[in-house]
Amino acid sequence: MIETNIDFPAGLPNGLRADHQANHVQPFQRTTMADGRARQRRRFSSVPSMQTFTWIFKANEAALFEAWFRDAIKDGAEWFNIKRLTPLGMSVLVCRFSSMYRGPVLLGVDRWQFSAELEVWERPLMPVGWGEFPEFVLGASIIDVALNREWPEA
């Protein structure tokens, strides 16, 4: 896992939830055999994910976004941290722009829309090993209630 100390500006709104999509790079290799069957094997244990982001900004936020893109992440070349809702909850993802953002597009009277595809360093997943205990993962909310009832904070 790589780290960066560059953060998406805290004063800017998070990306929209609409059209939030992640496309993961395939971590396995598939080889078709002569008899028509196929063999598969894990090729990588850590792969990036391409995610779409769309933001709607006020004029001053749009100006800040474009200046931050130019100055802080060197016109999109640097990695940075951004918060994103994932199946694990709100997560901080290490990512960079895979191409130039689209926009600004004027929406209504005074809002500006930007969209981009970001390369996320690693898929946001539970720690290794948790996939072997599905009953604990699926029952996490029940376990949490029981623990709080039996061992309340003193």
Side-chain angles (χ1 to χ4, degrees):
M1 178 74 170
I2 65 167
E3 293 183 11
T4 179
N5 59 359
I6 304 171
D7 294 324
F8 188 77
L12 294 182
N14 284 336
L16 300 177
R17 286 198 246 176
D19 299 326
H20 172 148
Q21 181 177 341
N23 295 308
H24 307 303
V25 171
Q26 184 169 297
F28 60 89
Q29 184 169 359
R30 183 176 174 92
T31 305
T32 304
M33 309 306 284
D35 67 356
R37 297 196 185 275
R39 288 186 178 210
Q40 289 185 187
R41 67 177 177 84
R42 176 189 272 178
R43 188 163 179 208
F44 307 105
S45 60
S46 174
V47 294
S49 178
M50 303 306 284
Q51 296 196 16
T52 56
F53 279 71
T54 301
W55 300 274
I56 296 179
F57 298 130
K58 298 175 192 169
N60 61 337
E61 293 170 337
L64 169 62
F65 173 77
E66 291 191 288
W68 172 81
F69 182 87
R70 180 194 63 211
D71 300 336
I73 60 171
K74 297 180 178 55
D75 280 322
E78 297 291 327
W79 293 92
F80 63 95
N81 302 309
I82 192 167
K83 290 182 181 176
R84 181 73 164 202
L85 185 61
T86 71
L88 299 176
M90 193 60 80
S91 301
V92 176
L93 306 176
V94 178
C95 54
R96 66 180 171 188
F97 284 78
S98 64
S99 61
M100 186 63 182
Y101 58 81
R102 293 169 299 283
V105 176
L106 181 60
L107 296 179
V109 176
D110 61 352
R111 296 292 188 258
W112 297 95
Q113 179 178 314
F114 292 82
S115 57
E117 185 172 64
L118 302 183
E119 175 187 1
V120 177
W121 175 259
E122 191 168 33
R123 294 182 295 165
L125 299 171
M126 298 182 85
V128 173
W130 277 102
E132 297 175 21
F133 301 100
E135 62 280 1
F136 292 126
V137 175
L138 294 175
S141 60
I142 296 169
I143 294 169
D144 187 47
V145 169
L147 286 174
N148 286 322
R149 182 177 36 230
E150 296 301 319
W151 295 309
E153 208 173 311

